[in-house]
Amino acid sequence: QVQLVESGGGLVQAGGSLRLSCAASGHTFGSYAVAWFRQAPGKEREFVAGIRWSISSIRYEDSVKGRFTISSDNADNTVYLQMNSLKPEDTAVYYCAARSHILVGVIPGEYAYWGQGTQVTVSS
């Protein structure tokens, strides 16, 4: 069983930055794919970024490329999402998810483990 805990959300102005953290307990990320999803009110949950832990293979949703960076810390068993140049349309609840697969998937249903979510609000 994997338990995921997100942190780092908050309120920022457009153009600002936040760093989200996803810490795991119960199991390491060594053989997992880990991803960030987000869900805004009235919208479906969408893929943001993901990382294949063992080889640090990374993919991003097109709208965040060049602005967001996903990374991992083996010592802390934590995945981070550095979000720069934030825009109001980035406002959403951000969720960390993991699955026991070496490849990063972009469909929420492909992930078995989810955190509680952390709110990111970007003011215009």
Side-chain angles (χ1 to χ4, degrees), residues 17-49:
S17 298
L18 286 172
R19 188 175 76 158
L20 306 183
S21 299
C22 174
S25 63
H27 201 287
T28 67
F29 286 141
S31 60
Y32 281 70
V34 182
W36 289 95
F37 291 80
R38 65 187 180 187
Q39 187 166 23
K43 295 186 177 181
E44 296 183 359
R45 191 167 298 185
E46 67 171 349
F47 174 81
V48 177

PDB file of all heavy atoms in Angstrom, residues 17-49:
ATOM      1  N   SER A  17       5.604  31.738  -8.593  1.00  0.00           N
ATOM      2  CA  SER A  17       6.057  30.353  -8.568  1.00  0.00           C
ATOM      3  C   SER A  17       5.602  29.640  -7.314  1.00  0.00           C
ATOM      4  O   SER A  17       5.409  30.247  -6.261  1.00  0.00           O
ATOM      5  CB  SER A  17       7.587  30.289  -8.630  1.00  0.00           C
ATOM      6  OG  SER A  17       8.095  30.852  -9.825  1.00  0.00           O
ATOM      7  N   LEU A  18       5.444  28.342  -7.435  1.00  0.00           N
ATOM      8  CA  LEU A  18       5.188  27.456  -6.317  1.00  0.00           C
ATOM      9  C   LEU A  18       5.931  26.153  -6.564  1.00  0.00           C
ATOM     10  O   LEU A  18       6.162  25.778  -7.714  1.00  0.00           O
ATOM     11  CB  LEU A  18       3.695  27.147  -6.155  1.00  0.00           C
ATOM     12  CG  LEU A  18       2.779  28.224  -5.600  1.00  0.00           C
ATOM     13  CD1 LEU A  18       1.328  27.774  -5.722  1.00  0.00           C
ATOM     14  CD2 LEU A  18       3.122  28.523  -4.150  1.00  0.00           C
ATOM     15  N   ARG A  19       6.268  25.461  -5.496  1.00  0.00           N
ATOM     16  CA  ARG A  19       6.819  24.126  -5.618  1.00  0.00           C
ATOM     17  C   ARG A  19       5.961  23.162  -4.827  1.00  0.00           C
ATOM     18  O   ARG A  19       5.825  23.296  -3.608  1.00  0.00           O
ATOM     19  CB  ARG A  19       8.268  24.047  -5.137  1.00  0.00           C
ATOM     20  CG  ARG A  19       8.902  22.685  -5.464  1.00  0.00           C
ATOM     21  CD  ARG A  19      10.362  22.595  -5.111  1.00  0.00           C
ATOM     22  NE  ARG A  19      10.579  22.431  -3.685  1.00  0.00           N
ATOM     23  CZ  ARG A  19      11.682  21.922  -3.157  1.00  0.00           C
ATOM     24  NH1 ARG A  19      12.680  21.527  -3.949  1.00  0.00           N
ATOM     25  NH2 ARG A  19      11.802  21.832  -1.842  1.00  0.00           N
ATOM     26  N   LEU A  20       5.391  22.204  -5.524  1.00  0.00           N
ATOM     27  CA  LEU A  20       4.597  21.176  -4.894  1.00  0.00           C
ATOM     28  C   LEU A  20       5.461  19.966  -4.574  1.00  0.00           C
ATOM     29  O   LEU A  20       6.379  19.634  -5.314  1.00  0.00           O
ATOM     30  CB  LEU A  20       3.445  20.740  -5.805  1.00  0.00           C
ATOM     31  CG  LEU A  20       2.525  21.837  -6.333  1.00  0.00           C
ATOM     32  CD1 LEU A  20       1.397  21.220  -7.152  1.00  0.00           C
ATOM     33  CD2 LEU A  20       1.973  22.686  -5.202  1.00  0.00           C
ATOM     34  N   SER A  21       5.137  19.310  -3.473  1.00  0.00           N
ATOM     35  CA  SER A  21       5.848  18.112  -3.065  1.00  0.00           C
ATOM     36  C   SER A  21       4.878  16.956  -2.924  1.00  0.00           C
ATOM     37  O   SER A  21       3.740  17.137  -2.485  1.00  0.00           O
ATOM     38  CB  SER A  21       6.565  18.327  -1.729  1.00  0.00           C
ATOM     39  OG  SER A  21       7.521  19.355  -1.812  1.00  0.00           O
ATOM     40  N   CYS A  22       5.334  15.779  -3.287  1.00  0.00           N
ATOM     41  CA  CYS A  22       4.564  14.552  -3.128  1.00  0.00           C
ATOM     42  C   CYS A  22       5.452  13.550  -2.419  1.00  0.00           C
ATOM     43  O   CYS A  22       6.397  13.027  -3.015  1.00  0.00           O
ATOM     44  CB  CYS A  22       4.103  14.022  -4.487  1.00  0.00           C
ATOM     45  SG  CYS A  22       3.296  12.404  -4.426  1.00  0.00           S
ATOM     46  N   ALA A  23       5.159  13.292  -1.164  1.00  0.00           N
ATOM     47  CA  ALA A  23       5.949  12.373  -0.365  1.00  0.00           C
ATOM     48  C   ALA A  23       5.221  11.040  -0.235  1.00  0.00           C
ATOM     49  O   ALA A  23       4.017  11.007   0.011  1.00  0.00           O
ATOM     50  CB  ALA A  23       6.225  12.957   1.011  1.00  0.00           C
ATOM     51  N   ALA A  24       5.963   9.963  -0.368  1.00  0.00           N
ATOM     52  CA  ALA A  24       5.386   8.631  -0.313  1.00  0.00           C
ATOM     53  C   ALA A  24       5.794   7.902   0.954  1.00  0.00           C
ATOM     54  O   ALA A  24       6.908   8.054   1.446  1.00  0.00           O
ATOM     55  CB  ALA A  24       5.813   7.808  -1.529  1.00  0.00           C
ATOM     56  N   SER A  25       4.883   7.110   1.469  1.00  0.00           N
ATOM     57  CA  SER A  25       5.171   6.200   2.570  1.00  0.00           C
ATOM     58  C   SER A  25       4.549   4.849   2.255  1.00  0.00           C
ATOM     59  O   SER A  25       3.617   4.753   1.464  1.00  0.00           O
ATOM     60  CB  SER A  25       4.633   6.739   3.892  1.00  0.00           C
ATOM     61  OG  SER A  25       3.219   6.860   3.852  1.00  0.00           O
ATOM     62  N   GLY A  26       5.067   3.815   2.884  1.00  0.00           N
ATOM     63  CA  GLY A  26       4.554   2.475   2.661  1.00  0.00           C
ATOM     64  C   GLY A  26       5.245   1.736   1.532  1.00  0.00           C
ATOM     65  O   GLY A  26       5.278   0.513   1.531  1.00  0.00           O
ATOM     66  N   HIS A  27       5.765   2.477   0.584  1.00  0.00           N
ATOM     67  CA  HIS A  27       6.465   1.900  -0.544  1.00  0.00           C
ATOM     68  C   HIS A  27       7.306   2.993  -1.180  1.00  0.00           C
ATOM     69  O   HIS A  27       6.895   4.158  -1.213  1.00  0.00           O
ATOM     70  CB  HIS A  27       5.486   1.316  -1.568  1.00  0.00           C
ATOM     71  CG  HIS A  27       6.078   0.300  -2.491  1.00  0.00           C
ATOM     72  ND1 HIS A  27       6.934   0.636  -3.512  1.00  0.00           N
ATOM     73  CD2 HIS A  27       5.942  -1.048  -2.538  1.00  0.00           C
ATOM     74  CE1 HIS A  27       7.302  -0.449  -4.155  1.00  0.00           C
ATOM     75  NE2 HIS A  27       6.708  -1.482  -3.585  1.00  0.00           N
ATOM     76  N   THR A  28       8.441   2.612  -1.685  1.00  0.00           N
ATOM     77  CA  THR A  28       9.270   3.577  -2.389  1.00  0.00           C
ATOM     78  C   THR A  28       8.805   3.723  -3.829  1.00  0.00           C
ATOM     79  O   THR A  28       8.056   2.892  -4.351  1.00  0.00           O
ATOM     80  CB  THR A  28      10.744   3.168  -2.370  1.00  0.00           C
ATOM     81  OG1 THR A  28      10.914   1.975  -3.158  1.00  0.00           O
ATOM     82  CG2 THR A  28      11.222   2.901  -0.954  1.00  0.00           C
ATOM     83  N   PHE A  29       9.261   4.780  -4.465  1.00  0.00           N
ATOM     84  CA  PHE A  29       8.922   5.030  -5.866  1.00  0.00           C
ATOM     85  C   PHE A  29       9.845   4.318  -6.840  1.00  0.00           C
ATOM     86  O   PHE A  29       9.762   4.557  -8.044  1.00  0.00           O
ATOM     87  CB  PHE A  29       8.973   6.534  -6.143  1.00  0.00           C
ATOM     88  CG  PHE A  29       7.830   7.311  -5.570  1.00  0.00           C
ATOM     89  CD1 PHE A  29       8.055   8.568  -5.011  1.00  0.00           C
ATOM     90  CD2 PHE A  29       6.544   6.826  -5.601  1.00  0.00           C
ATOM     91  CE1 PHE A  29       7.015   9.307  -4.487  1.00  0.00           C
ATOM     92  CE2 PHE A  29       5.485   7.555  -5.081  1.00  0.00           C
ATOM     93  CZ  PHE A  29       5.724   8.798  -4.520  1.00  0.00           C
ATOM     94  N   GLY A  30      10.710   3.467  -6.366  1.00  0.00           N
ATOM     95  CA  GLY A  30      11.749   2.886  -7.198  1.00  0.00           C
ATOM     96  C   GLY A  30      11.267   2.235  -8.488  1.00  0.00           C
ATOM     97  O   GLY A  30      11.909   2.373  -9.526  1.00  0.00           O
ATOM     98  N   SER A  31      10.159   1.529  -8.441  1.00  0.00           N
ATOM     99  CA  SER A  31       9.641   0.845  -9.619  1.00  0.00           C
ATOM    100  C   SER A  31       8.298   1.415 -10.062  1.00  0.00           C
ATOM    101  O   SER A  31       7.517   0.731 -10.719  1.00  0.00           O
ATOM    102  CB  SER A  31       9.519  -0.655  -9.347  1.00  0.00           C
ATOM    103  OG  SER A  31       8.636  -0.904  -8.275  1.00  0.00           O
ATOM    104  N   TYR A  32       8.045   2.655  -9.737  1.00  0.00           N
ATOM    105  CA  TYR A  32       6.767   3.297 -10.026  1.00  0.00           C
ATOM    106  C   TYR A  32       6.907   4.437 -11.025  1.00  0.00           C
ATOM    107  O   TYR A  32       7.976   5.034 -11.173  1.00  0.00           O
ATOM    108  CB  TYR A  32       6.155   3.862  -8.749  1.00  0.00           C
ATOM    109  CG  TYR A  32       5.485   2.841  -7.876  1.00  0.00           C
ATOM    110  CD1 TYR A  32       6.224   1.899  -7.183  1.00  0.00           C
ATOM    111  CD2 TYR A  32       4.100   2.830  -7.735  1.00  0.00           C
ATOM    112  CE1 TYR A  32       5.604   0.959  -6.376  1.00  0.00           C
ATOM    113  CE2 TYR A  32       3.477   1.903  -6.924  1.00  0.00           C
ATOM    114  CZ  TYR A  32       4.226   0.973  -6.246  1.00  0.00           C
ATOM    115  OH  TYR A  32       3.603   0.054  -5.439  1.00  0.00           O
ATOM    116  N   ALA A  33       5.793   4.709 -11.681  1.00  0.00           N
ATOM    117  CA  ALA A  33       5.628   5.963 -12.387  1.00  0.00           C
ATOM    118  C   ALA A  33       4.810   6.891 -11.498  1.00  0.00           C
ATOM    119  O   ALA A  33       3.830   6.464 -10.883  1.00  0.00           O
ATOM    120  CB  ALA A  33       4.921   5.751 -13.719  1.00  0.00           C
ATOM    121  N   VAL A  34       5.212   8.132 -11.422  1.00  0.00           N
ATOM    122  CA  VAL A  34       4.545   9.109 -10.570  1.00  0.00           C
ATOM    123  C   VAL A  34       4.157  10.306 -11.419  1.00  0.00           C
ATOM    124  O   VAL A  34       4.943  10.758 -12.254  1.00  0.00           O
ATOM    125  CB  VAL A  34       5.445   9.554  -9.408  1.00  0.00           C
ATOM    126  CG1 VAL A  34       4.703  10.533  -8.506  1.00  0.00           C
ATOM    127  CG2 VAL A  34       5.915   8.344  -8.607  1.00  0.00           C
ATOM    128  N   ALA A  35       2.969  10.813 -11.203  1.00  0.00           N
ATOM    129  CA  ALA A  35       2.467  11.902 -12.029  1.00  0.00           C
ATOM    130  C   ALA A  35       1.712  12.922 -11.198  1.00  0.00           C
ATOM    131  O   ALA A  35       1.201  12.619 -10.115  1.00  0.00           O
ATOM    132  CB  ALA A  35       1.564  11.367 -13.137  1.00  0.00           C
ATOM    133  N   TRP A  36       1.650  14.117 -11.735  1.00  0.00           N
ATOM    134  CA  TRP A  36       0.801  15.165 -11.206  1.00  0.00           C
ATOM    135  C   TRP A  36      -0.380  15.369 -12.138  1.00  0.00           C
ATOM    136  O   TRP A  36      -0.210  15.469 -13.363  1.00  0.00           O
ATOM    137  CB  TRP A  36       1.558  16.486 -11.069  1.00  0.00           C
ATOM    138  CG  TRP A  36       2.562  16.496  -9.970  1.00  0.00           C
ATOM    139  CD1 TRP A  36       3.894  16.239 -10.062  1.00  0.00           C
ATOM    140  CD2 TRP A  36       2.311  16.793  -8.592  1.00  0.00           C
ATOM    141  NE1 TRP A  36       4.490  16.347  -8.838  1.00  0.00           N
ATOM    142  CE2 TRP A  36       3.539  16.692  -7.912  1.00  0.00           C
ATOM    143  CE3 TRP A  36       1.170  17.143  -7.870  1.00  0.00           C
ATOM    144  CZ2 TRP A  36       3.662  16.919  -6.547  1.00  0.00           C
ATOM    145  CZ3 TRP A  36       1.281  17.366  -6.509  1.00  0.00           C
ATOM    146  CH2 TRP A  36       2.519  17.254  -5.861  1.00  0.00           C
ATOM    147  N   PHE A  37      -1.558  15.411 -11.557  1.00  0.00           N
ATOM    148  CA  PHE A  37      -2.779  15.756 -12.258  1.00  0.00           C
ATOM    149  C   PHE A  37      -3.377  16.994 -11.613  1.00  0.00           C
ATOM    150  O   PHE A  37      -3.034  17.347 -10.485  1.00  0.00           O
ATOM    151  CB  PHE A  37      -3.798  14.607 -12.201  1.00  0.00           C
ATOM    152  CG  PHE A  37      -3.414  13.398 -13.001  1.00  0.00           C
ATOM    153  CD1 PHE A  37      -2.509  12.473 -12.519  1.00  0.00           C
ATOM    154  CD2 PHE A  37      -3.980  13.180 -14.250  1.00  0.00           C
ATOM    155  CE1 PHE A  37      -2.162  11.355 -13.250  1.00  0.00           C
ATOM    156  CE2 PHE A  37      -3.648  12.058 -15.001  1.00  0.00           C
ATOM    157  CZ  PHE A  37      -2.736  11.150 -14.502  1.00  0.00           C
ATOM    158  N   ARG A  38      -4.277  17.638 -12.317  1.00  0.00           N
ATOM    159  CA  ARG A  38      -4.982  18.773 -11.735  1.00  0.00           C
ATOM    160  C   ARG A  38      -6.433  18.765 -12.185  1.00  0.00           C
ATOM    161  O   ARG A  38      -6.765  18.255 -13.241  1.00  0.00           O
ATOM    162  CB  ARG A  38      -4.317  20.099 -12.108  1.00  0.00           C
ATOM    163  CG  ARG A  38      -4.346  20.440 -13.588  1.00  0.00           C
ATOM    164  CD  ARG A  38      -3.517  21.691 -13.861  1.00  0.00           C
ATOM    165  NE  ARG A  38      -3.527  22.055 -15.266  1.00  0.00           N
ATOM    166  CZ  ARG A  38      -2.781  23.011 -15.796  1.00  0.00           C
ATOM    167  NH1 ARG A  38      -1.960  23.717 -15.015  1.00  0.00           N
ATOM    168  NH2 ARG A  38      -2.861  23.278 -17.087  1.00  0.00           N
ATOM    169  N   GLN A  39      -7.266  19.339 -11.351  1.00  0.00           N
ATOM    170  CA  GLN A  39      -8.682  19.392 -11.654  1.00  0.00           C
ATOM    171  C   GLN A  39      -9.244  20.738 -11.218  1.00  0.00           C
ATOM    172  O   GLN A  39      -9.198  21.085 -10.039  1.00  0.00           O
ATOM    173  CB  GLN A  39      -9.436  18.258 -10.965  1.00  0.00           C
ATOM    174  CG  GLN A  39     -10.896  18.158 -11.375  1.00  0.00           C
ATOM    175  CD  GLN A  39     -11.530  16.851 -10.941  1.00  0.00           C
ATOM    176  OE1 GLN A  39     -11.064  16.204 -10.008  1.00  0.00           O
ATOM    177  NE2 GLN A  39     -12.583  16.460 -11.628  1.00  0.00           N
ATOM    178  N   ALA A  40      -9.755  21.472 -12.179  1.00  0.00           N
ATOM    179  CA  ALA A  40     -10.416  22.738 -11.922  1.00  0.00           C
ATOM    180  C   ALA A  40     -11.918  22.506 -11.815  1.00  0.00           C
ATOM    181  O   ALA A  40     -12.440  21.521 -12.339  1.00  0.00           O
ATOM    182  CB  ALA A  40     -10.108  23.730 -13.039  1.00  0.00           C
ATOM    183  N   PRO A  41     -12.635  23.404 -11.149  1.00  0.00           N
ATOM    184  CA  PRO A  41     -14.083  23.234 -11.013  1.00  0.00           C
ATOM    185  C   PRO A  41     -14.776  23.077 -12.357  1.00  0.00           C
ATOM    186  O   PRO A  41     -14.529  23.843 -13.289  1.00  0.00           O
ATOM    187  CB  PRO A  41     -14.518  24.526 -10.318  1.00  0.00           C
ATOM    188  CG  PRO A  41     -13.316  24.952  -9.543  1.00  0.00           C
ATOM    189  CD  PRO A  41     -12.150  24.590 -10.421  1.00  0.00           C
ATOM    190  N   GLY A  42     -15.609  22.070 -12.460  1.00  0.00           N
ATOM    191  CA  GLY A  42     -16.353  21.835 -13.676  1.00  0.00           C
ATOM    192  C   GLY A  42     -15.583  21.177 -14.795  1.00  0.00           C
ATOM    193  O   GLY A  42     -16.129  20.995 -15.886  1.00  0.00           O
ATOM    194  N   LYS A  43     -14.340  20.828 -14.549  1.00  0.00           N
ATOM    195  CA  LYS A  43     -13.522  20.215 -15.580  1.00  0.00           C
ATOM    196  C   LYS A  43     -13.047  18.832 -15.143  1.00  0.00           C
ATOM    197  O   LYS A  43     -13.032  18.510 -13.961  1.00  0.00           O
ATOM    198  CB  LYS A  43     -12.310  21.090 -15.908  1.00  0.00           C
ATOM    199  CG  LYS A  43     -12.661  22.435 -16.532  1.00  0.00           C
ATOM    200  CD  LYS A  43     -11.420  23.182 -16.957  1.00  0.00           C
ATOM    201  CE  LYS A  43     -11.769  24.477 -17.648  1.00  0.00           C
ATOM    202  NZ  LYS A  43     -10.549  25.209 -18.089  1.00  0.00           N
ATOM    203  N   GLU A  44     -12.666  18.040 -16.121  1.00  0.00           N
ATOM    204  CA  GLU A  44     -12.130  16.722 -15.840  1.00  0.00           C
ATOM    205  C   GLU A  44     -10.711  16.825 -15.305  1.00  0.00           C
ATOM    206  O   GLU A  44      -9.998  17.794 -15.555  1.00  0.00           O
ATOM    207  CB  GLU A  44     -12.147  15.858 -17.100  1.00  0.00           C
ATOM    208  CG  GLU A  44     -13.528  15.550 -17.637  1.00  0.00           C
ATOM    209  CD  GLU A  44     -13.490  14.643 -18.843  1.00  0.00           C
ATOM    210  OE1 GLU A  44     -12.380  14.267 -19.281  1.00  0.00           O
ATOM    211  OE2 GLU A  44     -14.562  14.291 -19.343  1.00  0.00           O
ATOM    212  N   ARG A  45     -10.321  15.819 -14.570  1.00  0.00           N
ATOM    213  CA  ARG A  45      -8.956  15.752 -14.090  1.00  0.00           C
ATOM    214  C   ARG A  45      -8.017  15.532 -15.273  1.00  0.00           C
ATOM    215  O   ARG A  45      -8.257  14.670 -16.119  1.00  0.00           O
ATOM    216  CB  ARG A  45      -8.816  14.619 -13.077  1.00  0.00           C
ATOM    217  CG  ARG A  45      -7.515  14.619 -12.310  1.00  0.00           C
ATOM    218  CD  ARG A  45      -7.597  13.668 -11.120  1.00  0.00           C
ATOM    219  NE  ARG A  45      -8.633  14.080 -10.179  1.00  0.00           N
ATOM    220  CZ  ARG A  45      -8.848  13.492  -9.011  1.00  0.00           C
ATOM    221  NH1 ARG A  45      -8.091  12.455  -8.643  1.00  0.00           N
ATOM    222  NH2 ARG A  45      -9.809  13.915  -8.215  1.00  0.00           N
ATOM    223  N   GLU A  46      -6.963  16.327 -15.339  1.00  0.00           N
ATOM    224  CA  GLU A  46      -6.063  16.259 -16.474  1.00  0.00           C
ATOM    225  C   GLU A  46      -4.623  16.052 -16.035  1.00  0.00           C
ATOM    226  O   GLU A  46      -4.196  16.509 -14.975  1.00  0.00           O
ATOM    227  CB  GLU A  46      -6.162  17.535 -17.331  1.00  0.00           C
ATOM    228  CG  GLU A  46      -5.660  18.788 -16.654  1.00  0.00           C
ATOM    229  CD  GLU A  46      -5.573  19.976 -17.593  1.00  0.00           C
ATOM    230  OE1 GLU A  46      -5.693  19.793 -18.818  1.00  0.00           O
ATOM    231  OE2 GLU A  46      -5.382  21.108 -17.094  1.00  0.00           O
ATOM    232  N   PHE A  47      -3.898  15.387 -16.886  1.00  0.00           N
ATOM    233  CA  PHE A  47      -2.484  15.137 -16.666  1.00  0.00           C
ATOM    234  C   PHE A  47      -1.688  16.426 -16.767  1.00  0.00           C
ATOM    235  O   PHE A  47      -1.936  17.256 -17.641  1.00  0.00           O
ATOM    236  CB  PHE A  47      -1.979  14.135 -17.697  1.00  0.00           C
ATOM    237  CG  PHE A  47      -0.498  13.891 -17.662  1.00  0.00           C
ATOM    238  CD1 PHE A  47       0.055  13.027 -16.731  1.00  0.00           C
ATOM    239  CD2 PHE A  47       0.341  14.515 -18.565  1.00  0.00           C
ATOM    240  CE1 PHE A  47       1.409  12.795 -16.700  1.00  0.00           C
ATOM    241  CE2 PHE A  47       1.697  14.293 -18.547  1.00  0.00           C
ATOM    242  CZ  PHE A  47       2.239  13.428 -17.605  1.00  0.00           C
ATOM    243  N   VAL A  48      -0.715  16.587 -15.883  1.00  0.00           N
ATOM    244  CA  VAL A  48       0.168  17.743 -15.897  1.00  0.00           C
ATOM    245  C   VAL A  48       1.601  17.339 -16.230  1.00  0.00           C
ATOM    246  O   VAL A  48       2.208  17.858 -17.166  1.00  0.00           O
ATOM    247  CB  VAL A  48       0.144  18.486 -14.548  1.00  0.00           C
ATOM    248  CG1 VAL A  48       1.130  19.659 -14.566  1.00  0.00           C
ATOM    249  CG2 VAL A  48      -1.265  18.968 -14.234  1.00  0.00           C
ATOM    250  N   ALA A  49       2.150  16.435 -15.455  1.00  0.00           N
ATOM    251  CA  ALA A  49       3.522  15.997 -15.647  1.00  0.00           C
ATOM    252  C   ALA A  49       3.717  14.661 -14.965  1.00  0.00           C
ATOM    253  O   ALA A  49       3.047  14.354 -13.980  1.00  0.00           O
ATOM    254  CB  ALA A  49       4.514  17.020 -15.089  1.00  0.00           C
TER     255      ALA A  49
END
